[in-house]
Amino acid sequence: MKNIIIIGAGPAGMTAAIYAADSGLNVRLIEKGMYGGQMTTTARIENYPGFPEIAGWELSQRMFDCVTKSGVTLTTDEVISISRSDSLFKVICRINTYEADAVIIANGVKRRKLDVPGEKEFAGRGVSYCAVCDGNFFKEKDVAVVGGGNSALEDAAYLCGVCKRVYLIHRRDEFRADEKYVRALDSFDNLERVTSHVPVRITGEDVLSGIEVKSTKTGEAHTIPVSGVFVATGLISDNDAYSEFVELSDDGYIESGEDCLTSTPGIFAAGDTRNKKLRQIVTACADGASAAKKALEYLNGVG
Ligand code: NAP
């Protein structure tokens, strides 16, 4: 039986694992963190067909149940790099090295940092990148959310239900987020929009006590007193481990089309990690299925 390794257990990786296992391949799914990827840090998902509304953790669990039912080998490890000898790929991880005839990279993306003084110092002690995971630590406290996309507005809405006051800091006047998220902000009387402001530093002595922001219009700075800062400024590629094997775009995503082929035969890319226009759960799942199908063709010598 041919072996395939799938790197990353978000929706793309889990779908690829299900399709590959159902095709009769011996599947190892490697994940360094939580099964579900970004879904696990999303409070509610409202645009995945079949579920008018579902918690991120629950959709993750349902997908994971399908994976375990398919007889996939689950491995908790972190990929460092890939090497190759003849037609066999070696996936080198922190704990072990695993061999396979084909590899699907479905490692997703990582969060963009603010890169301002105080961010590193207070990371995990007031600065958070996951409102759903850490919001409860700030019950009845004042917090700030930075960003203007869907994630920031979702986070702000979620935190309005938990915290006393939520300052939504965005560098422009208009939000990038979908209209429904922007409209939803009007229903919260404990939300304050701080638009056309950029974060300058995160302040505090032993504990985080505020975020200094500067107006992009007047250049004036002021400090907003908060106990927590939630950063939701978007996602960036995370493909350094694979750069020797697959061609990357200027911003580090794996060059690959809808067929999930990469510049190296036998290595496929699925989900947010590849250069694509629409990054959604449903498009990640679609990639997972396509990548598994293409991998099967490659292993059968017809791809
Ligand atoms: P995003 O859409 O890229 O938004 C990032 C936001 O952060 C933008 O408003 C951006 O400002 C701001 N920003 C970037 N760098 C910054 C900096 N250094 N300082 C201050 N602000 C900064 O990222 P996202 O919200 O994480 O969403 C990522 C993807 O996931 C998107 O495709 C999104 O649609 C998708 N998503 C979908 C859903 C859903 O469908 N339910 C939910 C969450 C996320 P500018 O606007 O000025 O560039």
Side-chain angles (χ1 to χ4, degrees):
M1 200 191 278
K2 297 275 188 187
N3 296 312
I4 185 165
I5 286 177
I6 298 166
I7 302 168
M14 288 202 276
T15 308
I18 294 163
Y19 274 72
D22 288 353
S23 303
L25 298 175
N26 196 8
V27 183
R28 180 185 295 279
L29 178 60
I30 302 177
E31 168 60 53
K32 67 175 176 191
M34 304 266 283
Y35 289 86
Q38 286 177 64
M39 293 191 295
T40 59
T41 61
T42 305
R44 280 177 327 182
I45 293 161
E46 294 176 1
N47 55 7
Y48 188 73
F51 301 94
E53 182 181 318
I54 185 164
W57 69 264
E58 192 181 353
L59 188 54
S60 305
Q61 183 63 50
R62 284 175 183 245
M63 287 190 193
F64 183 63
D65 291 344
C66 299
V67 170
T68 49
K69 204 174 129 214
S70 295
V72 169
T73 301
L74 303 170
T75 299
T76 303
D77 211 336
E78 184 177 355
V79 177
I80 311 285
S81 64
I82 298 181
S83 71
R84 183 179 201 166
S85 60
D86 300 322
S87 64
L88 209 59
F89 294 102
K90 287 187 180 183
V91 178
I92 300 142
C93 299
R94 278 204 191 282
I95 303 170
N96 265 317
T97 292
Y98 308 91
E99 290 183 343
D101 303 291
V103 176
I104 296 176
I105 303 171
N107 61 325
V109 285
K110 61 183 178 187
R111 287 169 188 268
R112 178 184 283 119
K113 300 270 162 59
L114 280 179
D115 281 335
V116 297
E119 182 182 26
K120 252 194 216 141
E121 293 82 337
F122 287 111
R125 301 193 299 122
V127 173
S128 167
Y129 301 87
C130 178
V132 178
C133 321
D134 298 331
N136 274 334
F137 295 122
F138 300 90
K139 255 187 191 154
E140 296 305 320
K141 294 191 171 160
D142 293 349
V143 298
V145 174
V146 185
N150 285 342
S151 300
L153 271 66
E154 269 187 347
D155 287 357
Y158 173 76
L159 291 168
C160 278
V162 176
C163 303
K164 192 163 141 212
R165 186 147 209 84
V166 176
Y167 296 89
L168 178 57
I169 301 165
H170 179 40
R171 63 186 178 185
R172 291 187 293 128
D173 271 345
E174 282 184 1
F175 291 107
R176 173 185 295 274
D178 295 345
E179 189 53 35
K180 74 168 183 175
Y181 293 110
V182 180
R183 262 189 275 116
L185 294 182
D186 295 335
S187 60
F188 301 107
D189 55 13
N190 59 341
L191 182 126
E192 194 168 315
R193 300 170 193 223
V194 185
T195 51
S196 298
H197 278 78
V198 288
V200 178
R201 74 182 76 245
I202 290 162
T203 59
E205 292 290 327
D206 291 338
V207 292
L208 191 155
S209 62
I211 179 166
E212 186 183 333
V213 293
K214 188 170 86 175
S215 165
T216 55
K217 292 184 172 162
T218 65
E220 268 176 46
H222 71 283
T223 299
I224 305 170
V226 289
S227 307
V229 174
F230 290 85
V231 181
T233 48
L235 305 163
I236 54 174
S237 58
D238 189 17
N239 288 321
D240 290 352
Y242 313 111
S243 58
E244 271 183 42
F245 270 93
V246 292
E247 195 185 323
L248 302 181
S249 65
D250 289 345
D251 49 2
Y253 291 97
I254 299 174
E255 290 289 10
S256 167
E258 296 292 315
D259 52 14
C260 300
L261 303 180
T262 70
S263 49
T264 297
I267 299 189
F268 306 83
D272 286 6
T273 192
R274 76 173 181 86
N275 206 2
K276 64 192 299 194
K277 289 216 170 75
L278 186 60
R279 293 192 168 89
Q280 293 282 303
I281 300 168
V282 74
T283 60
C285 291
D287 274 9
S290 299
K293 168 114 186 349
K294 281 292 170 190
L296 187 68
E297 287 176 7
Y298 165 82
L299 293 170
N300 287 338
V302 292

